[in-house]
Structure formats: C-alpha cells, structure tokens
Amino acid sequence: VQLQASGGGLVQPGGSLRPSCTASGFTLDDFAVGWLRQVPGKEREGVACIDVSESNTYHAPSVKGRFTISRDNTKNTVYLQMNSLKPEDTAVYYCATCPGVVVTGSLRGDYFGSGGQGTQVTVSS
C-alpha cells in the first residue's frame, strides 16, 4: 500500500493549507487513512485519522479545532485542512493507513502504517 502526500508549502502563521493524499494502484476507500508529521530528530507524531465509513475522525490535541481530516472516495483522495497554522506545525507530513488508530482511538505513531512520500509544511513569517 503506497500513499503519496502533496500540497504542502510555505505559509505565514495564521495561514491555511490543504495537503492531499492519493494512492497508486488501489482504492483508498477500503482503508482507514491518516496523517502523521515528523521533524528531524524526533519521532513521527500521529496528527489525524479517518475511518472507512467517514463516521469517525480522530485529531491530536495539538491540532484539534484547527485541522480537519476528510476524504472524497470518488476522487480516491484524503485531505487535511490546516487552518490557523503555527510555527510549531512545521514538519514533513505523511499519509498512511491507520487501522490501529480506529481500533484503539489512540493516535500513537506506531498505530499507522508506513508513510509514503511526504510533503514539507513550513510555517514562518
């Protein structure tokens, strides 16, 4: 299962971005999919996850109220709407399957699958 993230960039504090996650060779609607982020020297941090039916979403406390995960199965895409961005949101963002998150309700990084190619998000003035 190989996922690719895109749509990152440089934004000023308080700004918005909406990275996208797409898949090659399979349909995302069979999987719970989520987002992680990682900065150099730190472990990856689970950010959000959405289940297959879109009935349940999970967001880390650090992003709750600012970030929203969603999916459009007709486009085989999962999105992460990021509002009110802060410098501490700067990281490489990856998407991955997140079946462990759905089972446990925890966004621990090891409850996600391996992330594919990430996208850099930089929040700076």
Side-chain angles (χ1 to χ4, degrees):
V1 177
Q2 191 72 12
L3 306 179
Q4 288 189 319
S6 62
L10 172 64
V11 65
Q12 292 187 339
S16 297
L17 284 172
R18 193 178 75 152
S20 301
C21 174
T22 57
S24 301
F26 64 95
T27 56
L28 281 179
D29 56 359
D30 290 335
F31 300 92
V33 179
W35 291 88
L36 309 103
R37 63 188 181 186
Q38 190 167 26
V39 297
K42 292 189 176 181
E43 291 191 2
R44 63 181 193 171
E45 174 191 8
V47 175
C49 172
I50 185 167
D51 71 1
V52 172
S53 66
E54 304 177 61
S55 299
N56 296 295
T57 59
Y58 309 83
H59 296 84
S62 58
V63 307
K64 205 163 190 177
R66 300 187 298 120
F67 292 11
T68 303
I69 190 169
S70 63
R71 65 193 305 159
D72 185 342
N73 289 338
T74 65
K75 295 182 178 179
N76 206 31
T77 302
V78 173
Y79 303 99
L80 186 67
Q81 179 67 47
M82 308 165 68
N83 298 328
S84 302
L85 281 159
K86 304 175 180 180
E88 52 263 43
D89 295 319
T90 296
V92 177
Y93 283 73
Y94 302 89
C95 55
T97 58
C98 52
V101 175
V102 174
V103 170
T104 64
S106 168
L107 283 161
R108 278 176 46 168
D110 54 358
Y111 287 161
F112 289 74
S114 299
Q117 180 179 337
T119 186
Q120 176 71 46
V121 171
T122 302
V123 185
S124 175
S125 55

